[in-house]
Amino acid sequence: KEHSSRNSLTYFTEDMKESSRDYFEIEMNLRKGLIENQFMMYFQPQISGPDARIDGFEALVRWNHPEIGLVRPDIFIPLAESTGFIVPLGEWIIQESLKTLKKFHEAGMTHLGVSVNISSRQFIHEHFPEMIFQALDQYQLSPDKLCLEITESVAMEESSIVLERLHLFTKKGVKLSVDDFGTGFSAFVYLLDYPVNEIKIDREFIRLLTQNKKSEALVKTIIDLADNLRLSVIAEGVETQDQLGLLQSLGCQRFQGYLISKPVPPAELTQWVNKFRP
Ligand code: C2E
Ligand code: CA
Ligand code: CA
Ligand code: CA
């Protein structure tokens, strides 16, 4: 049966959500997908410094469904979260991401790191820290080469388990990045108490950046705040040279976006990395 991408979206979000039977069916599909290798990891380069060298990449999951085709993560991640499937999927994502990073380290590019998106349910799962430390151990990778991207809403959740884990990961040297920064409701001042290493400015602010002065002021505020708190700052969704230039003039040091590269499969990432090899 053929589905257009709009139909597949409707199929997943409207139809299948309706009854608990449908939830069960999605969960079955997701689990089958994992067993049958339908998931793939793509990686998007992150660059920094005056010579725009690649220093890491963000891992982004893809679901290549045999009938529907490519299903976007914005569609299946929320479903995976609600069924709990995010836990085994998340473990697979960590494995694939560290496996890919390890290949680069073995080829001598030990300065590279990987950023992995972690959803809330996964972050608070009881075995999550253990799973992370075991995987780092398994691949013999230094913890500071792994960065966990958590959204602002997770980071600022006033739950003791979140805070406890932020401290634990920091103590062990695992990096923490606050994704989609600026989109939550929390006051910036919260950051003072949270052990995180990086702020990731949301794509929407970058999109508006060259269009109005207010968003320029806002982005400048975020960058200055990060500077003062000794946090690293990265801009996501950089699509134009104008955006890049403006961000540089505002003091932003790291960038990610279509201007540099789209998310690519591992083989293409290797080509990309080799091209920019120091
Ligand atoms: P995100 O973490 O904010 O990821 C950034 C999204 O922006 C990615 O979409 C990426 O492909 C896209 N993007 C990157 N550069 C540009 C650009 O220059 N312009 C535009 N317009 N878009 C750009 P993607 O891969 O579809 O992922 C969507 C969301 O799904 C992610 O948002 C993240 O919240 C979630 N997600 C993706 N992979 C994973 C994963 O492995 N685990 C978890 N828990 N969530 C994931
Ligand atoms: Ca992210
Ligand atoms: Ca983001
Ligand atoms: Ca996002």
Side-chain angles (χ1 to χ4, degrees):
K1 211 163 46 173
E2 288 286 316
H3 292 273
S4 75
S5 60
R6 161 155 301 182
N7 278 341
S8 70
L9 196 148
T10 315
Y11 172 69
F12 272 96
T13 54
E14 312 284 319
D15 305 353
M16 294 192 86
K17 236 196 225 170
E18 266 160 24
S19 70
S20 54
R21 196 195 135 261
D22 292 337
Y23 260 122
F24 182 70
E25 209 170 302
I26 299 169
E27 162 124 50
M28 292 281 288
N29 267 302
L30 287 166
R31 288 192 188 272
K32 190 159 170 263
L34 190 57
I35 292 164
E36 296 186 353
N37 263 313
Q38 292 166 9
F39 291 96
M40 298 178 299
M41 292 313 295
Y42 274 49
F43 299 95
Q44 187 174 37
Q46 299 174 325
I47 61 160
S48 68
D51 45 0
R53 286 263 165 82
I54 178 173
D55 63 6
F57 41 86
E58 178 178 3
L60 295 154
V61 69
R62 302 285 178 262
W63 186 15
N64 196 358
H65 190 283
E67 286 152 45
I68 303 163
L70 222 56
V71 186
R72 290 170 46 195
D74 325 30
I75 294 165
F76 69 85
I77 290 290
L79 293 171
E81 279 178 37
S82 60
T83 63
F85 176 69
I86 192 68
V87 172
L89 179 64
E91 183 167 356
W92 180 85
I93 288 167
I94 286 287
Q95 282 285 327
E96 290 300 304
S97 302
L98 294 186
K99 196 189 290 169
T100 300
L101 182 67
K102 183 65 180 181
K103 287 201 183 121
F104 288 113
H105 280 218
E106 280 170 349
M109 286 162 284
T110 51
H111 63 291
L112 294 177
V114 64
S115 290
V116 184
N117 293 285
I118 307 295
S119 46
S120 142
R121 179 143 180 194
Q122 193 188 358
F123 192 77
I124 60 174
H125 186 265
E126 65 168 318
H127 299 308
F128 180 70
E130 197 184 313
M131 183 275 279
I132 294 291
F133 301 136
Q134 272 176 10
L136 283 167
D137 212 50
Q138 179 190 340
Y139 290 101
Q140 291 290 293
L141 285 162
S142 165
D144 67 345
K145 293 297 178 284
L146 173 64
C147 178
L148 305 178
E149 289 195 11
I150 50 176
T151 58
E152 197 179 358
S153 54
V154 177
M156 304 308 156
E157 219 173 89
E158 288 197 60
S159 101
S160 57
I161 184 145
V162 170
L163 197 56
E164 205 175 277
R165 285 187 176 183
L166 294 174
H167 280 291
L168 174 65
F169 284 122
T170 299
K171 199 181 90 192
K172 300 274 187 177
V174 174
K175 299 273 189 246
L176 297 162
S177 176
V178 183
D179 202 359
D180 302 341
F181 189 80
T183 59
F185 294 106
S186 56
F188 288 178
V189 72
Y190 271 85
L191 275 177
L192 291 169
D193 296 326
Y194 282 76
V196 294
N197 309 88
E198 182 185 77
I199 288 175
K200 197 162 196 180
I201 309 173
D202 191 62
R203 191 168 80 211
E204 187 59 13
F205 296 123
I206 309 305
R207 193 178 67 80
L208 295 170
L209 188 61
T210 48
Q211 293 177 21
N212 68 62
K213 281 280 167 193
K214 272 189 192 162
S215 35
E216 186 182 324
L218 185 68
V219 170
K220 186 178 180 345
T221 304
I222 296 175
I223 295 168
D224 291 347
L225 175 84
D227 263 4
N228 290 329
L229 296 175
R230 305 275 184 279
L231 301 176
S232 136
V233 58
I234 180 164
E236 71 173 7
V238 180
E239 292 183 354
T240 69
Q241 202 64 52
D242 283 356
Q243 290 168 340
L244 181 68
L246 188 50
L247 283 162
Q248 278 170 327
S249 76
L250 296 176
C252 186
Q253 313 266 14
R254 298 186 74 219
F255 313 94
Q256 185 185 339
Y258 293 169
L259 177 68
I260 299 127
S261 168
K262 286 197 168 175
V264 293
E268 255 177 81
L269 183 69
T270 306
Q271 289 175 19
W272 212 96
V273 168
N274 283 332
K275 212 167 52 182
F276 288 82
R277 207 172 175 149

